[in-house]
Amino acid sequence: MEAAVFILSLVDCCALIFLSVYFIITLSDLECDYINARACCSKLNKWVIPEMVGQFLSTMIMLVSMHWFIFLLNLPVAVWDIYRYAKVPMGNMGVFDPTEIHNRGQLKTHMKEAMIKLGYHLLCFFIYLYSMILALIND
Amino acid sequence: MSTAGFNSQNGTGSGQVYANGPSQNPPALQQLPGVGYGMTHQQTYNPMQAKVPAPPGPGLYPFGAHQPVAPVSSYQTGQTLSSYTAPPSQSLLTRPPLGTPPSHTPPQSASPSPGPRLPPAQGTPPPPPVSSNSYYPNPQQQQQQQQQQQQQQQQQPQPQQPPPPPMAQPWQYNTAPPPVGPPTSMTAPPRGPVANHVNPASSLTVPPPPSSAAYVSAPPGQQLRSAAQPSVPGMPPSSLHPYAQPGSAPPPVNPMAPHSYQTGIAPYVGAPPAMKPTPPPTGLPVARATPPPPKADAQCGAALNSVQSPTEPDSQEGDIECPGAVAGNGPPASNSYNHVDNTMAVPPQPGPPGRHLGHYPSLPPGYQNTSAPPNATSTAHPAIQSATQPYTHAAQRYQQPPAGPGPAQLSPSLAAMSLQSSTPEALRVVNLLQERNLLPTGPISAPTPCLPQDLQKINCSPEVFRCTLTSIPQNQSLLSKAKMPLGLLLHPFKDLSQLPVVTSSTIVRCRSCRTYINPFVSFLDQRRWKCNLCYRVNDVPEEFMYNPVSRSYGEPHKRPEVQNATIEFIAPSEYMLRPPQPAVYLFVLDVSHNALETGYLNVFCQSLLDNINALPGDSRTKVGFITFDSTIHFYNLQEGLSQPQMLIVSDIEDIFLPTPDSLLVNLNECKELVQDLLKSLPTLFEKTMETQSALGPALQAAFKLLSPTGGRMSVFQTQLPNLGVGALQSREDPNQRASAKDIQHLSPATDFYKKLALDCSGQQVAVDLFLLSARYCDLASLGCISRYSAGSVYYYPSYHHQHNPAQVERFQKDLKRYLTRKIGFEAVMRIRCTKGLSIHTFHGNFFVRSTDLLSLPNVNPDAGFAVQMSIEENLDDMQVVSFQAALLYTSSKGERRIRVHTLCLPVVNSMSDIFAGADVQAIAGLLACMAVDRSVSASLSDARDAMTNAAIDSLMSYRQSVLTIQQPGLLAPACLRLFPLYILALLKQRAFRTGTSTRLDDRVFAMCQLKYQPLVYSMLMIHPALYRVDDLTDEGALNINERTIPQPRVLQLSVEKLSREAAFLMDAGTVMYLWIGRNCNPNFLTQVLGVPSYAAVPDNLYLLPELDTAESQRTRAFIGWLKDQRPFFPSLHVIRDESQLKASFMQNMIEDRTESALSYYEFLLHLQQQISK
């Protein structure tokens, strides 16, 4: 059971890692002018909700399986994702808005955020991996 | 603008080029232009050499003749004088290096040149040249400029006085130039105008007698000079001799000058003092020696006047130059000049002045209309005046700080030329709490960057390209320490009276950063140039070696591209993604009951009928019409139909085009049908009872119609859209209008309009929105459609054809301008800056497609842009940085064109230099843009706090890092003295005010305008101008196109300035108020307003009656002149104490206290309190 929980989290974490990498690649494409702001933002906005769901999922799994430490590790990121989504002004086209992304260094902020998330997910990945192996051995 | 560019072409450009390519020196010697160039060359080049060749030149007519050598000398005098004054401040620092070498050269040159030539002419004449020589080394650059001007001048004068042979040989010099006149052909296209500008000056140089006279005449007009002048007439003969001697002496003079200056007469005397010291050394008649200097001053002043006044752009530069020139060339030039004056000047004086005046208006008439007049006349004078008093003090103070880094950093030439003369004034410490009258009497001109004069001469006009800090800090930490925003304000598509246009199959650009070649690149040799943005070395293509202007080969540095900071290219096919689109205009009209009620449709149809032939376009121009209420109506205007056919689409959920091919028709082929339609439209919907408005679906339909071609969509809307997609709800709570709490609903309610705008932008469609409504229309949401598609927004609150005639007139006039103004289609603009700087935020109407690429489906001449920048890398090893804005567009004639503006600014590393270069208007404009963003993304109170903090931070930073002596009071450098006032004005501006009842749409519209208007116009909106108009006189008036425009002084915006006995005009950009005092001079009432008494002034008077009285003519000329200066039409309201509009008039009294806002003095106290915390 324990192992199943971590395998599931691991899969979820992998997906989130891929998402983060995708975000980073797309944003750096925009930085380098390979795609235009509109295309970039519509691509990214599509994945904002899946990312939220993935993050929420792993948080819930940890909550349900009562791994408090990992739950607490996940919680702030989940809260941040929801907060970010809820804070989007009515007139904007999503978390990534093509008309704003080049203003006030937003692109850099987004990039930084994606990088931090990538690091965080990698950390989680190894924690899950370790926990999973531990659980398998204990079984 | 353009004029400036031209001047640069003639003179400066060449100067630069040479400087770049040392190799060219020899040619310089040989060829006439070479002389001028050699001069520019600066250090390496011996000024003498340059001149030396010149002397032969006259004899050699072909080449030598070209050279304006003679003129140069004479000319220099004119300018040198001016330059002289300025230098004193810096002269100490910068000059020494240059000064010494020059000193050597001058004597040499002087001796040879004067010896042979002068003797023949007259004893006196020779000296002048000598003097000029001596000074040359330093002034070279200036001389270049002068030369340019001279050349220009010469051109004109030449015809007038081709054979001044009678004159002494020195004159021959001058005469030689006449032949030079032909050379002008090189620059010919631009010159024409330039020459005009310079005329006064030119007259001076070429025909010495008349010119001198002119000079003299000019000075009297101006106060400053007047003092000096008296001496001039008397002195001329005597001065000649002494002069020559001093001339030789000059080298020592330079060093001397600074001292003399400080001690010397406060303002202008800089030059004279220098002279004085010299005479003593010579040992000759001191008394005589002294007289010349005054002349110099006078001349300088005169030169300033003449040069500046004629040309606008030049004028600004001229102002600065004058001081700068003083520093460098002053003495020499003056000397040469004196000769001229002495010999010829005295007698002719009376005559020339008359001429001058005559020329004056004629020269830059078109120009003056736009902006020249303010700069030329008003700015120059005040600047000078102001400079004079504070000058000595400021100069001394200033010298110390700059002395260390300034000279060291700048190359000697730079140092010599630097305009720092202006800085002392800019840094003069002002205690804001004590100085009450801070407003200059005339318009405020942009500060001039502290650049070598040859660079400054060709730099982009501040009207087009302006930076908040004209001295760029060396690194980000310095910038953040100064606490001032760094940004650019652009007006890239401004209507220019002159613009060099280049057609060439290859447009030379940097291969790595794609920068267009510009005047600030350096030529390593004839075959290679170094990009000034990325520093890559590029090859000069073969084609570029040929100069089409001069028809000469091997002078890439003289191509117009390298001579003009503003230039337009006709782009070859590589710059087209598709064939250039035709001009396409689609009009989307609201025809609901509400719309018909306002009566706008009649006005619109009539205006379009009147201007249908003036629509910009060619034979491919297309037009189309869509009307909408709860349904969408299309009009089939297909050729062959006997009358327009209306097609109604009532399915607004899924909009489609009934006959896609025949809705947009060729205007020329179907003009009659279009006219029929316009005539019948107003009556067609007369009886409509439909009150709903399906704007969203109508926009979708219009987008579908335009998307294959791109074009312009003009939307006229009179109510809140309430049907179909994009329907909006009223969000405004009228009770909250005056709330001091945060204003809600400044951001859009839906993303529909934004998305649609981006779709439009992708298909090269721009949407212009005309909002005519008395009720809330949610401009915050609707405005997005224009904002992101690079359209413009016009708002006419309470528009009604009967109840609001002022709005109707404004609508008519605006519409006329809108329909006929220039337009560029499918445009993109890229703003590049030197490596190390980066742009991080953009303001204006457009869509930022990638990091530095602005997508502008349409660009119009009334659009302004702003960007904020940060410094990413240290700029330690750079002396200057450049910015380039390139606008690629399709003209209405189907030509693909690129308009390129390049701005060059110096890099500094001391706080005092940064502050000295602050452009307070640009800072206020940029802060306004930032505050608009802030109020949308955060809150209005946040934005207000941020603006107040901006003032506090920068003044605190000034106090801490620049001021060495701490004094009590609120201290600001002179260049920032208006900063708190502008911040207060912004806080009280409609966009940001709180506590005063402001409709949400009014507020949002004001915000749109702040972001979208070019700086000149938004400044009026921020800080209106107040004039007293009941006592207009012709004193100091401008003369434009045979009309005399009185120039009353600008008053502070305080009720204290109002008086019951007078009448005042307040110019607030889009609206003007003429306030009549209760006891107003009855003369004014009868002569201007045509009413017998105060009580008889009608309540709603929007037009001044055309009375045939001098007062009426003056007043109308003044108001008309103000109106002509802007592209939109300000409505005029004549108000009395009882008028309803008095409240809005009084709200503009920024310096006064209101219930909810601080007075100016209180605001200052608040700032002081915060700063001293």
Side-chain angles (χ1 to χ4, degrees):
Chain A
M1 181 57 201
E2 184 94 342
V5 165
F6 282 111
I7 290 174
L8 189 59
S9 322
L10 209 57
V11 173
D12 187 47
C13 192
C14 284
L16 288 173
I17 289 176
F18 277 116
L19 260 186
S20 298
V21 172
Y22 176 72
F23 273 49
I24 291 173
I25 293 177
T26 316
L27 286 171
S28 62
D29 274 359
L30 178 63
E31 243 175 7
C32 304
D33 257 10
Y34 294 134
I35 54 175
N36 70 47
R38 185 116 204 252
C40 169
C41 291
S42 66
K43 270 175 157 182
L44 295 183
N45 280 332
K46 243 185 290 180
W47 292 102
V48 167
I49 292 189
E51 189 202 3
M52 249 167 56
V53 171
Q55 185 61 42
F56 205 65
L57 185 70
S58 70
T59 314
M60 289 318 289
I61 290 174
M62 291 306 143
L63 177 65
V64 170
S65 61
M66 293 187 290
H67 290 91
W68 301 115
F69 173 72
I70 304 180
F71 167 71
L72 287 179
L73 197 67
N74 270 299
L75 193 60
V77 181
V79 170
W80 165 252
D81 277 354
I82 294 171
Y83 170 80
R84 183 179 66 158
Y85 187 75
K87 279 290 279 183
V88 173
M90 258 194 298
N92 277 17
M93 297 166 64
V95 172
F96 298 89
D97 188 290
T99 60
E100 307 268 329
I101 198 158
H102 283 297
N103 273 5
R104 299 187 293 279
Q106 277 203 11
L107 185 53
K108 277 189 185 150
T109 318
H110 285 309
M111 195 72 164
K112 218 181 287 169
E113 187 187 321
M115 290 291 214
I116 291 172
K117 274 193 183 157
L118 178 64
Y120 162 81
H121 290 315
L122 282 174
L123 177 72
C124 286
F125 179 83
F126 288 110
I127 291 176
Y128 296 152
L129 193 66
Y130 173 79
S131 307
M132 182 193 76
I133 293 170
L134 213 62
L136 284 177
I137 292 172
N138 286 347
D139 277 355
Chain B
M1 277 273 326
S2 62
T3 55
F6 288 120
N7 288 341
S8 66
Q9 264 197 347
N10 294 338
T12 356
S14 62
Q16 279 189 347
V17 175
Y18 263 96
N20 292 337
S23 62
Q24 298 175 353
N25 290 344
L29 293 174
Q30 294 176 353
Q31 297 180 352
L32 301 175
V35 177
Y37 293 125
M39 309 288 297
T40 55
H41 202 29
Q42 307 171 352
Q43 302 172 347
T44 54
Y45 210 131
N46 187 327
M48 286 310 298
Q49 291 177 354
K51 286 197 172 181
V52 173
L60 297 178
Y61 265 71
F63 292 129
H66 279 303
Q67 315 247 343
V69 175
V72 173
S73 64
S74 64
Y75 182 70
Q76 290 173 350
T77 58
Q79 282 193 343
T80 47
L81 298 172
S82 64
S83 63
Y84 207 173
T85 52
S89 64
Q90 282 195 345
S91 61
L92 294 176
L93 299 177
T94 56
R95 291 236 171 151
L98 296 178
T100 54
S103 67
H104 291 291
T105 54
Q108 297 174 355
S109 65
S111 62
S113 67
R117 295 178 187 172
L118 296 175
Q122 287 182 356
T124 56
V130 174
S131 66
S132 64
N133 290 338
S134 65
Y135 278 99
Y136 267 101
N138 292 337
Q140 289 174 352
Q141 293 178 349
Q142 296 177 350
Q143 290 178 352
Q144 295 173 355
Q145 297 175 353
Q146 296 173 353
Q147 290 175 356
Q148 300 169 357
Q149 295 180 352
Q150 293 172 356
Q151 292 176 355
Q152 299 170 356
Q153 297 173 354
Q154 292 172 358
Q155 297 169 0
Q156 289 188 349
Q158 293 169 359
Q160 296 177 351
Q161 295 187 349
M167 304 289 292
Q169 292 174 352
W171 293 131
Q172 288 180 353
Y173 252 131
N174 295 336
T175 56
V180 179
T184 55
S185 63
M186 317 243 313
T187 50
R191 281 183 188 173
V194 176
N196 290 339
H197 298 287
V198 190
N199 273 347
S202 64
S203 65
L204 292 172
T205 57
V206 178
S211 66
S212 64
Y215 263 114
V216 178
S217 65
Q222 301 185 350
Q223 306 166 351
L224 296 178
R225 292 78 192 263
S226 64
Q229 291 179 351
S231 65
V232 176
M235 297 311 297
S238 65
S239 66
L240 293 176
H241 295 286
Y243 217 141
Q245 296 168 349
S248 60
V253 174
N254 281 340
M256 303 292 290
H259 297 289
S260 65
Y261 181 68
Q262 294 175 350
T263 55
I265 306 166
Y268 254 97
V269 191
M275 298 304 293
K276 290 180 181 178
T278 54
T282 55
L284 288 180
V286 176
R288 289 184 182 180
T290 51
K295 279 189 177 180
D297 291 352
Q299 291 173 353
C300 181
L304 286 179
N305 292 341
S306 63
V307 176
Q308 293 175 353
S309 58
T311 57
E312 314 176 82
D314 290 351
S315 68
Q316 291 180 350
E317 293 177 358
D319 293 349
I320 300 167
E321 287 179 358
C322 197
V326 174
N329 294 335
S334 62
N335 292 340
S336 60
Y337 204 37
N338 287 340
H339 289 290
V340 177
D341 288 349
N342 296 335
T343 55
M344 304 303 291
V346 178
Q349 287 180 358
R355 259 199 199 174
H356 243 316
L357 297 176
H359 284 287
Y360 200 103
S362 67
L363 296 178
Y367 228 124
Q368 288 180 347
N369 285 336
T370 53
S371 57
N375 292 339
T377 57
S378 58
T379 57
H381 298 287
I384 297 171
Q385 294 174 350
S386 64
T388 59
Q389 299 167 348
Y391 212 121
T392 50
H393 301 283
Q396 292 174 351
R397 269 186 213 147
Y398 188 59
Q399 288 176 352
Q400 297 170 349
Q409 291 182 350
L410 302 173
S411 72
S413 66
L414 280 176
M417 303 318 302
S418 63
L419 300 179
Q420 296 182 356
S421 58
S422 65
T423 52
E425 165 58 13
L427 274 186
R428 180 172 59 95
V429 181
V430 177
N431 186 347
L432 296 175
L433 289 172
Q434 284 172 1
E435 293 207 22
R436 288 250 33 194
N437 297 308
L438 291 172
L439 277 184
T441 52
I444 301 162
S445 63
T448 309
C450 191
L451 282 174
Q453 295 222 342
D454 57 343
L455 289 187
Q456 183 49 37
K457 188 74 186 165
I458 45 176
N459 217 348
C460 205
S461 155
E463 287 170 9
V464 170
F465 215 142
R466 211 156 155 176
C467 185
T468 54
L469 302 177
T470 53
S471 301
I472 304 290
Q474 217 166 44
N475 50 51
Q476 180 68 35
S477 66
L478 213 53
L479 174 61
S480 37
K481 210 172 144 202
K483 301 264 169 75
M484 285 190 288
L486 176 60
L488 300 171
L489 291 106
L490 292 92
H491 188 181
F493 205 52
K494 180 177 164 50
D495 285 324
L496 300 172
S497 60
Q498 288 163 3
L499 176 70
V501 178
V502 171
T503 315
S504 117
S505 56
T506 55
I507 295 178
V508 182
R509 300 173 68 178
C510 173
R511 286 174 66 188
S512 74
C513 67
R514 307 301 292 152
T515 298
Y516 296 82
I517 197 166
N518 59 70
F520 310 104
V521 302
S522 45
F523 281 90
L524 300 180
D525 53 45
Q526 283 208 352
R527 289 289 177 178
R528 292 181 306 155
W529 61 278
K530 192 171 170 190
C531 174
N532 55 335
L533 267 64
C534 68
Y535 300 108
R536 182 198 157 102
V537 175
N538 295 275
D539 292 335
V540 175
E542 183 60 31
E543 194 189 343
F544 203 70
M545 298 296 291
Y546 175 75
N547 184 349
V549 177
S550 65
R551 300 207 184 131
S552 58
Y553 184 84
E555 293 174 336
H557 50 274
K558 288 186 195 159
R559 296 257 310 187
E561 292 94 325
V562 192
Q563 302 284 328
N564 295 284
T566 292
I567 194 161
E568 190 155 287
F569 298 95
I570 310 260
S573 55
E574 302 95 79
Y575 291 84
M576 305 171 194
L577 293 173
R578 56 175 187 177
Q581 67 163 81
V584 179
Y585 306 110
L586 178 63
F587 299 93
V588 182
L589 307 163
D590 182 359
V591 291
S592 61
H593 176 72
N594 189 45
L596 273 291
E597 195 65 7
T598 63
Y600 89 89
L601 203 53
N602 284 310
V603 176
F604 166 76
C605 290
Q606 196 52 49
S607 293
L608 188 52
L609 274 176
D610 293 344
N611 295 300
I612 199 151
N613 293 319
L615 284 178
D618 54 10
S619 59
R620 301 182 300 160
T621 305
K622 288 179 167 184
V623 293
F625 297 87
I626 291 178
T627 56
F628 66 96
D629 40 33
S630 61
T631 56
I632 316 291
H633 324 125
F634 297 89
Y635 296 87
N636 184 347
L637 300 166
Q638 186 74 44
E639 204 178 359
L641 288 177
S642 58
Q643 64 177 43
Q645 190 179 18
M646 181 160 83
L647 307 160
I648 300 178
V649 174
S650 53
D651 179 11
I652 56 170
E653 295 304 317
D654 180 20
I655 203 77
F656 64 94
L657 300 180
T659 54
D661 301 336
S662 52
L663 300 178
L664 272 182
V665 295
N666 187 299
L667 178 61
N668 290 332
E669 290 165 10
C670 308
K671 192 171 281 177
E672 286 182 9
L673 276 182
V674 171
Q675 285 168 333
D676 282 353
L677 175 64
L678 288 174
K679 282 172 194 155
S680 58
L681 254 187
T683 52
L684 213 51
F685 296 94
E686 232 169 9
K687 305 275 190 274
T688 184
M689 279 301 148
E690 190 56 73
T691 57
Q692 291 187 302
S693 163
L695 177 65
L699 289 173
Q700 284 179 324
F703 168 63
K704 279 189 182 174
L705 192 52
L706 280 181
S707 55
T709 52
R712 182 176 78 186
M713 186 195 304
S714 315
V715 179
F716 295 79
Q717 172 72 10
T718 60
Q719 61 174 322
L720 199 64
N722 50 13
L723 203 61
V725 286
L728 299 169
Q729 320 244 298
S730 178
R731 297 189 287 168
E732 185 186 37
D733 176 1
N735 299 324
Q736 295 295 312
R737 279 181 189 160
S739 151
K741 281 185 251 155
D742 256 340
I743 309 296
Q744 304 292 314
H745 308 308
L746 290 172
S747 55
T750 164
D751 64 359
F752 170 79
Y753 295 99
K754 190 188 244 183
K755 276 184 176 155
L756 187 60
L758 294 185
D759 288 335
C760 288
S761 176
Q763 299 298 324
Q764 307 294 351
V765 176
V767 185
D768 293 328
L769 180 64
F770 289 80
L771 203 54
L772 312 102
S773 166
R775 277 175 296 165
Y776 176 69
C777 274
D778 202 349
L779 186 57
S781 304
L782 288 183
C784 285
I785 188 78
S786 296
R787 180 162 166 209
Y788 298 111
S789 67
S792 36
V793 178
Y794 294 83
Y795 180 46
Y796 304 90
S798 318
Y799 182 90
H800 195 279
H801 64 114
Q802 283 169 339
H803 303 156
N804 203 339
Q807 289 285 36
V808 174
E809 191 190 7
R810 191 157 80 88
F811 179 57
Q812 266 173 337
K813 294 276 172 52
D814 281 354
L815 208 52
K816 176 160 193 276
R817 162 78 181 166
Y818 172 77
L819 291 172
T820 56
R821 73 184 175 191
K822 200 176 160 167
I823 184 171
F825 295 97
E826 45 186 0
V828 290
M829 181 163 78
R830 208 182 272 276
I831 305 171
R832 298 182 172 89
C833 41
T834 296
K835 197 171 61 176
L837 293 167
S838 76
I839 295 173
H840 63 78
T841 303
F842 301 84
H843 303 279
N845 288 0
F846 48 71
F847 171 53
V848 189
R849 204 153 68 192
S850 67
T851 42
D852 58 351
L853 184 70
L854 309 184
S855 165
L856 302 161
N858 281 184
V859 61
N860 69 69
D862 306 332
F865 303 89
V867 300
Q868 286 170 253
M869 289 184 302
S870 59
I871 301 172
E872 308 235 301
E873 298 167 27
N874 280 0
L875 307 171
D876 295 343
D877 49 348
M878 303 176 195
Q879 286 176 347
V880 294
V881 290
S882 303
F883 308 92
Q884 187 171 74
L887 178 71
L888 171 64
Y889 68 97
T890 302
S891 76
S892 51
K893 307 281 182 214
E895 272 176 333
R896 203 76 173 135
R897 288 168 166 247
I898 310 167
R899 188 174 291 190
V900 180
H901 305 284
T902 315
L903 177 72
C904 180
L905 295 175
V907 176
V908 298
N909 69 353
S910 78
M911 291 293 281
S912 55
D913 288 341
I914 297 173
F915 277 100
D919 181 343
V920 67
Q921 288 194 314
I923 291 175
L926 188 63
L927 278 177
C929 291
M930 293 160 67
V932 171
D933 272 4
R934 194 63 164 284
S935 26
V936 174
S937 65
S939 70
L940 193 67
S941 56
D942 233 34
R944 289 169 57 89
D945 290 348
M947 282 190 287
T948 315
N949 289 336
I952 294 171
D953 288 345
S954 56
L955 292 183
M956 187 143 65
S957 161
Y958 171 74
R959 194 184 183 104
Q960 287 169 352
S961 51
V962 179
L963 280 186
T964 47
I965 307 162
Q966 296 296 332
Q967 307 164 358
L970 182 60
L971 305 179
C975 59
L976 285 181
R977 67 191 190 281
L978 296 176
F979 193 31
L981 179 61
Y982 285 155
I983 294 293
L984 182 66
L986 276 173
L987 293 177
K988 294 186 177 183
Q989 220 270 342
R990 189 173 290 160
F992 302 111
R993 70 189 178 194
T994 54
T996 311
S997 179
T998 309
R999 296 173 46 204
L1000 195 52
D1001 277 347
D1002 285 346
R1003 189 186 293 276
V1004 172
F1005 181 62
M1007 288 184 173
C1008 292
Q1009 283 188 304
L1010 285 178
K1011 287 197 92 169
Y1012 172 73
Q1013 295 270 355
L1015 183 65
V1016 250
Y1017 313 127
S1018 59
M1019 276 324 288
L1020 271 184
M1021 253 165 264
I1022 294 171
H1023 189 271
L1026 182 69
Y1027 308 94
R1028 179 171 177 166
V1029 290
D1030 64 322
D1031 56 355
L1032 292 179
T1033 64
D1034 284 342
E1035 188 179 334
L1038 283 183
N1039 227 332
I1040 300 174
N1041 292 340
E1042 311 288 319
R1043 291 173 66 199
T1044 306
I1045 318 286
Q1047 297 289 297
R1049 60 168 297 166
V1050 179
L1051 302 174
Q1052 285 171 287
L1053 290 169
S1054 169
V1055 173
E1056 133 194 55
K1057 297 287 175 190
L1058 299 181
S1059 95
R1060 288 194 169 185
E1061 285 78 37
F1064 294 86
L1065 180 75
M1066 177 186 282
D1067 176 12
T1070 52
V1071 60
M1072 289 182 181
Y1073 302 100
L1074 181 58
W1075 183 84
I1076 312 291
R1078 186 176 294 276
N1079 305 327
C1080 183
N1081 185 354
N1083 193 33
F1084 181 78
L1085 294 174
T1086 51
Q1087 305 290 314
V1088 176
L1089 296 177
V1091 294
S1093 69
Y1094 174 77
V1097 176
D1099 244 350
N1100 46 359
L1101 187 59
Y1102 304 107
L1103 258 186
L1104 291 184
E1106 297 200 9
L1107 302 179
D1108 195 20
T1109 61
E1111 289 84 354
S1112 172
Q1113 273 168 359
R1114 274 195 209 113
T1115 314
R1116 282 183 292 117
F1118 179 59
I1119 292 177
W1121 174 72
L1122 288 176
K1123 285 181 176 177
D1124 285 346
Q1125 283 179 310
R1126 62 202 72 173
F1128 43 85
F1129 181 83
S1131 49
L1132 175 72
H1133 300 276
V1134 179
I1135 55 175
R1136 296 182 299 166
D1137 261 352
E1138 301 81 22
S1139 303
Q1140 290 178 339
L1141 282 169
K1142 194 194 166 196
S1144 42
F1145 175 75
M1146 286 304 171
Q1147 272 166 9
N1148 282 330
M1149 290 296 177
I1150 287 160
E1151 300 194 11
D1152 291 336
R1153 189 163 198 276
T1154 66
E1155 290 169 16
S1156 53
L1158 300 177
S1159 74
Y1160 179 55
Y1161 191 73
E1162 288 168 328
F1163 183 68
L1164 290 179
L1165 287 178
H1166 172 70
L1167 292 186
Q1168 188 193 20
Q1169 196 184 2
Q1170 296 293 316
I1171 289 173
S1172 53
K1173 254 184 195 171

